[in-house]
Amino acid sequence: MKNLALHWKILIGMVIGIILGLVAIMGGFGAFVTDWIKPFGTIFINLLKLIAVPLVLVSLIDGISNLTDLAKLSRIGGKTIGFYLVSTVLAISVGLLLVNLVEPGNFLPEDKREELRLKYASEATMKMQSASSVEGSGPLQILVDVVPDNIFGAFTSNINMLQVIFFAFLFGVAMVMTPQEKVLPVKKFFDGANAVILRIVDLAMRFAPIGVLALLAGLIVDIAGDDPASALDLFKALGVYALTVLAGLAFMVVVFYPAVITTFTSIKYRNFFKGIFPAQMLAFSTSSSAATLPVTMDRVEKNLGVSEEVSSFVLPLGATINMDGTSIHQAVSAVFIAQAFGHDLTMLDQLTIVLTATLASIGAAAVPSAGLIMLVIVLGAIGVEPEGLALIIALDRPLDMCRTIVNVTGDATVATIVASTEGELRTGLDPDQLLHEEVLKEEARDERYPIE
Ligand code: ASP
């Protein structure tokens, strides 16, 4: 058990939680689960919420302040960030379109949704707050709300995450513009703090198997009450939700990226996939764009012919800020939870999702489950109870594995088109041929500098 990978433990927790929930409904001890098991789920959710503000603050400041070369690389940088933003917004729009068409949350019966909403409406004040801020506000209110008048005020609630992001952005940019010798200690501090916060994420995730068990058992008891049949509705809704996320992810990999590659470069898309495939497989098995980065860089340079200059700038930046898969997942999950909890989302809510999911995917660290934690931000911004994470958490690992494939493929696509527009792409070659060239080069080097 000790050496079992975390995702297996989470899966086992999930199965035990479901069984416990079902047995509790049938055995009539639902109240026991609510009183003695469910609180551990709430503790887990609280841990995730607790990390959200410091994680965003520190990882964004750290990421932006690393871009000291941006002035030198401003042209490539501008193009890269432009492509990244366009693909992220497009990915979110695809996610929103799909989830609004399929409406997976509505697979739960109407009365259950209303019941869930009332049960989880613990943050009534939050909703009142967002309702009153929408009422009587002008069209630019959303912009005004992004700029905090007191940073400690912004830190006090997860609803104000956009304000935290704004502050982090400002701080990071100001660091880049300040003389290096002054900034160095600050930079070191944020480097270290970033490592510590990532470790906290890691610790919180170790608690995930128990958290998931408690959440699922509690949720099944809450949803089913004394009617076991309605637990089935929950599974149906979850299945449709997972398929909706997968459809969005598949669209990016099978339609969007190939279309971009064939439009902007002369690489055949079969060759593109052949080149990038090992990185995709590693992304799938590690659920981490950061862990996959060395292989992505290697394949993009050696098999797709992107120059090292371009790949070494575009790919690390992409692993940190460009997450198309994560952003599709954010959009579909936020709307699914809102539907399941009986919230009607307005057009303004959907636009808020586009904005916050973009920022959340930029702020998400390239490690497993980062997207799940960032979902707290999107939910907070549209006034949906973060307890809704309980609904989707058990499915997160397999979906994380799939969205990380999309994240990595998106980075490779942008690196290839930036290289192509810069004349830094060796084209017309088969990936195998390029690889062969590299091997020859390495052999020649080894001959020149034989290993003793
Ligand atoms: N695991 C993802 C990545 O590393 C991030 C996430 O969506 O959780 O790219």
Side-chain angles (χ1 to χ4, degrees), residues 1 14 72 173 191 200 248 268 299 419 434:
M1 191 75 182
M14 176 182 141
K72 216 167 58 193
V173 170
D191 261 352
I200 298 181
K268 289 201 194 74
R299 300 298 291 194
L434 275 169

Side-chain angles (χ1 to χ4, degrees), residues 312-328:
S312 64
F313 171 74
V314 177
L315 289 174
L317 185 64
T320 326
I321 68 166
N322 181 49
M323 299 194 179
D324 297 344
T326 302
S327 46
I328 289 186

Side-chain angles (χ1 to χ4, degrees), residues 287-289 323 326 365-371 400 403-404 407:
S287 273
S288 165
S289 317
M323 299 194 179
T326 302
V367 297
S369 309
D400 192 6
R403 67 182 184 249
T404 309
N407 292 345

